[in-house]
Amino acid sequence: MTLPGDGGAAPVASVVVALGSDQDVTRARHCVRDAATVLTMDLVTQTKIITAASELARNTVLHGRGGELEISTVVGPDDQSRHRRGLQLLFTDHGPGIADIDSAMTSGWTSGSGLGLGLPGSRSLVNEFELSSTPGVGTRIRVVMWVRDR
Amino acid sequence: MPRVPIVRVGSVLLATLGDDLDDESALQLQHDVGQRVTQTRASGVLLDISALEIVDSFICKVLGDTAAIVRVLGANVAVVGMSPAVAITLVELGLHLPGVRTARDIEHGLRELERARLDPARGSGRGGFGPR
């Protein structure tokens, strides 16, 4: 599947996690951890992507009325055309959507009881972050964390 | 729903948060810690997060709220055992656990609680990253 602005990342293997409850958020975290382990991500990178996954999965459950997370291993060239591997997380829901994306991406802005750090915080933790949302249709968020090859 | 175990060690309560902590259990923890502080008249509470592979904004809020509840009930509290990777991620997220005392491990946490007990001026919970 080719996505707009995906920088040439091509999925090679993927798993889908349904997101309907807060137990699913925990499950999503574990699945992302397993995928990150397979990619031999270093611990800090792994911690960042799992944290971002937790924030975004919770958003999907709380604000998107549930949805799913597709976890994929992707390969693609870096800016020097070298082969690299990464982990792509694709969150989709068919909830109310986000009317004002700029506000939603602002640190401290919250539509509910949270800290208002879910979206901007997640964006700061990952290498690529892409959000598209249509009010009344749903929201799709794609993030990628590349593996630093040593 | 896995419940966070809380054990009593002398005058201190130790709550060990597990890797499988879900949102509901985290909220239950606030309630349980508050109850146990009142029942046991504990002078301090250690929240051990060494088993947590991540702390996201929700868990961070729960830790902050739990610490506030403990303080309001008249006991001291410290969050102990945060891994360096979690600390790096939290700071990058913009979450610094303001006003929450932190310590490297349980032993360090017990010393910090004892110091706070002997010197209530330091008992405000501030100084988690201050000089030892």
Side-chain angles (χ1 to χ4, degrees):
Chain A
M1 183 168 64
T2 308
L3 303 165
D6 64 359
V12 289
S14 64
V15 57
V16 173
V17 185
L19 297 173
S21 68
D22 68 326
Q23 278 85 3
D24 292 338
V25 175
T26 310
R27 194 168 307 127
R29 268 199 310 251
H30 289 164
C31 290
V32 172
R33 196 239 340 254
D34 292 346
T37 308
V38 170
L39 278 170
T40 61
M41 271 184 185
D42 67 85
L43 188 60
V44 172
T45 309
Q46 196 172 316
T47 304
K48 286 180 181 178
I49 187 73
I50 299 169
T51 306
S54 188
E55 299 286 348
L56 296 172
R58 184 174 295 106
N59 273 0
T60 301
V61 171
L62 292 182
H63 306 301
R65 298 181 196 140
E68 65 175 41
L69 160 63
E70 186 183 332
I71 305 167
S72 310
T73 305
V74 292
V75 293
D78 64 10
D79 48 11
Q80 276 138 31
S81 301
R82 283 180 306 213
H83 176 86
R84 62 177 174 175
R85 299 167 303 135
L87 194 58
Q88 173 178 282
L89 309 179
L90 184 60
F91 296 85
T92 44
D93 69 59
H94 301 288
I98 303 166
D100 185 350
I101 290 178
D102 288 342
S103 289
M105 289 306 299
T106 305
S107 195
W109 186 91
T110 173
S111 61
S113 56
L115 291 172
L117 284 163
L119 289 178
S122 310
R123 180 166 65 175
S124 71
L125 291 177
V126 297
N127 298 134
E128 293 178 27
F129 184 100
E130 184 189 288
L131 184 156
S132 57
S133 185
T134 311
V137 178
T139 301
R140 204 194 70 142
I141 298 173
R142 188 184 72 88
V143 303
V144 178
M145 193 67 131
W146 294 106
V147 177
R148 244 179 297 157
D149 281 313
R150 279 144 289 177
Chain B
M1 183 183 74
R3 208 149 171 158
V4 175
I6 303 172
V7 298
R8 188 173 174 172
V9 186
S11 64
V12 170
L13 296 175
L14 171 66
T16 307
L17 284 70
D19 167 38
D20 51 353
L21 185 75
D22 60 38
D23 296 3
E24 210 181 319
S25 319
L27 291 172
Q28 183 68 41
L29 171 70
Q30 291 183 354
H31 179 259
D32 290 352
V33 166
Q35 286 254 314
R36 292 289 297 276
V37 166
T38 310
Q39 281 166 3
T40 63
R41 301 185 180 189
S43 66
V45 176
L46 291 180
L47 301 170
D48 180 10
I49 62 165
S50 57
L52 294 188
E53 61 179 355
I54 65 144
V55 172
D56 62 11
S57 61
F58 178 81
I59 301 293
C60 195
K61 184 174 188 299
V62 170
L63 290 174
D65 289 353
T66 306
I69 290 165
V70 172
R71 279 198 304 271
V72 168
L73 290 172
N76 293 304
V77 60
V79 170
V80 303
M82 185 183 293
S83 77
V86 168
I88 290 168
T89 304
L90 262 190
V91 170
E92 203 148 309
L93 263 175
L95 300 169
H96 303 190
L97 281 173
V100 178
R101 188 191 316 278
T102 55
R104 289 180 294 277
D105 50 34
I106 292 173
E107 201 184 331
H108 180 206
L110 285 172
R111 281 204 307 273
E112 286 290 303
L113 288 184
E114 184 61 12
R115 278 168 63 153
R117 196 176 65 81
L118 297 172
D119 180 7
R122 293 186 75 254
S124 62
R126 295 200 55 78
F129 294 101
R132 304 286 167 230

